[in-house]
Amino acid sequence: MSNSLFQLVPNFGDTSETLRKAVEQMKDKYYHRGMRRKLVAQLRQKGIKNEHVLEAIGRVPRHFFLDNAFEELAYEDQALPIGEEQTISQPYTVAFQTELLDVQKGHRVLEIGTGSGYQASILAALGAEVYSIERQENLYWRTKELFRKMQVNNVRLYLGDGYEGLPKYAPFDKIIVTAGAITVPETLQEQLLIGGTMVVPVGRPTQQMYRVVRITETEFYSQVYGEFRFVPFEKGVKKRK
Ligand code: SAH
């Protein structure tokens, strides 16, 4: 894996003092790895079967994506606040969506709702070429800076309204929406390759997980999975104050 996020003794090119300090705080210690192993065992018990997905969760340090105050909780199977009234999804939800998406190495994957960047990193760890859109400028810049420090180079971040997708880079093998939509977003399904899959939670106040496969230019096949609770999929870009 050329991606230094996963080299546990990172070699960060930038020598500036602030950056060095920030990076030093992102230590991945034995006990973090131990907690990740327990989390993986829990996810397995809860029904996650895809070994690649489990392995990615075992490898990506979730505590890097959270405020220090949540370090102890980072490997509990729960959603946690990331600011701007948003949350990092529960690990089970991340695993469930990623498993449904069936990501293969080299797939071009569009994620809607970058948030902390954790889900995008799991996709990157699976070898995908990730494009991720966030509508909140504060979160966009924070995650961009985090990825720069971690030298994550197979995730491209965009500030924009995810409802529009990324027509310039379409079609995608896979699309994952990590906020609760009201209906299956049509603009997004149009950006799928034929044979491509979109995983999107749909409904209010809770969501059913939809898996939509594009069968032909005009036909889509969808199946519905369990119930989840996401933050809402909202329109427009929210600028920094
Ligand atoms: N995948 C994220 C989950 C973050 S919660 C993670 O791993 O941390 C969902 C995110 O979707 C929030 O950051 C929210 O701001 C964002 N979001 C909601 N509506 C959006 C839209 N229309 N376009 C892009 N991002 C959106």
Side-chain angles (χ1 to χ4, degrees):
M1 179 77 50
S2 64
N3 191 332
S4 72
L5 163 58
F6 312 111
Q7 292 167 8
L8 296 175
V9 185
N11 173 23
F12 298 92
D14 193 317
T15 52
S16 88
E17 190 64 9
T18 12
L19 189 56
R20 193 183 59 76
K21 281 201 181 128
V23 166
E24 266 181 6
Q25 283 163 13
M26 297 194 296
K27 287 251 168 70
D28 193 48
K29 304 205 175 105
Y30 282 118
Y31 76 94
H32 293 123
R33 280 176 247 175
M35 288 193 285
R36 279 206 291 285
R37 268 197 293 277
K38 282 193 191 140
L39 174 61
V40 166
Q42 267 184 53
L43 296 178
R44 213 188 277 280
Q45 260 182 1
K46 291 180 181 175
I48 303 298
K49 292 191 177 66
N50 185 310
E51 289 301 326
H52 299 290
V53 173
L54 291 166
E55 192 263 345
I57 288 181
R59 193 144 47 94
V60 178
R62 188 168 184 257
H63 64 287
F64 284 10
F65 301 84
L66 291 161
D67 191 276
N68 286 344
F70 297 115
E71 193 182 338
E72 294 300 315
L73 293 175
Y75 298 102
E76 299 291 322
D77 189 18
Q78 66 181 69
L80 290 165
I82 55 170
E84 314 299 324
E85 297 170 19
Q86 305 304 317
T87 54
I88 183 173
S89 305
Q90 185 184 341
Y92 175 73
T93 306
V94 171
F96 190 89
Q97 282 197 288
T98 312
E99 186 167 74
L100 271 186
L101 207 59
D102 189 23
V103 179
Q104 307 292 325
K105 258 200 186 100
H107 271 170
R108 287 154 47 81
V109 182
L110 173 64
E111 179 196 24
I112 311 299
T114 312
S116 68
Y118 179 68
Q119 171 75 69
S121 300
I122 294 290
L123 297 168
L126 289 165
E129 191 185 308
V130 186
Y131 297 74
S132 182
I133 312 178
E134 173 56 54
R135 69 177 284 274
Q136 298 224 28
E137 196 178 1
N138 277 335
L139 292 175
Y140 164 79
W141 284 112
R142 194 205 293 166
T143 302
K144 203 168 170 72
E145 178 61 10
L146 179 70
F147 280 3
R148 190 177 72 83
K149 285 180 203 155
M150 292 176 155
Q151 295 191 351
V152 174
N153 46 29
N154 47 348
V155 181
R156 302 196 210 173
L157 300 180
Y158 299 86
L159 174 64
D161 183 350
Y163 271 101
E164 291 165 19
L166 280 179
K168 204 172 140 190
Y169 299 102
F172 295 94
D173 296 283
K174 305 284 155 102
I175 300 179
I176 175 172
V177 180
T178 67
I182 294 175
T183 54
V184 172
E186 272 184 36
T187 330
L188 294 181
Q189 66 177 25
E190 292 302 330
Q191 294 181 23
L192 278 176
L193 268 172
I194 292 171
T197 303
M198 170 161 73
V199 173
V200 51
V202 177
R204 288 282 151 84
T206 59
Q207 292 81 35
Q208 300 290 326
M209 195 65 79
Y210 276 63
R211 178 172 175 271
V212 181
V213 179
R214 184 171 204 170
I215 302 172
T216 65
E217 194 60 42
T218 53
E219 291 167 288
F220 296 87
Y221 171 72
S222 55
Q223 273 177 299
V224 178
Y225 297 82
E227 194 174 351
F228 293 84
R229 183 181 288 271
F230 284 79
V231 294
F233 192 9
E234 291 177 288
K235 291 223 157 103
V237 170
K238 192 171 167 222
K239 289 280 179 193
R240 233 173 193 173
K241 286 200 194 86

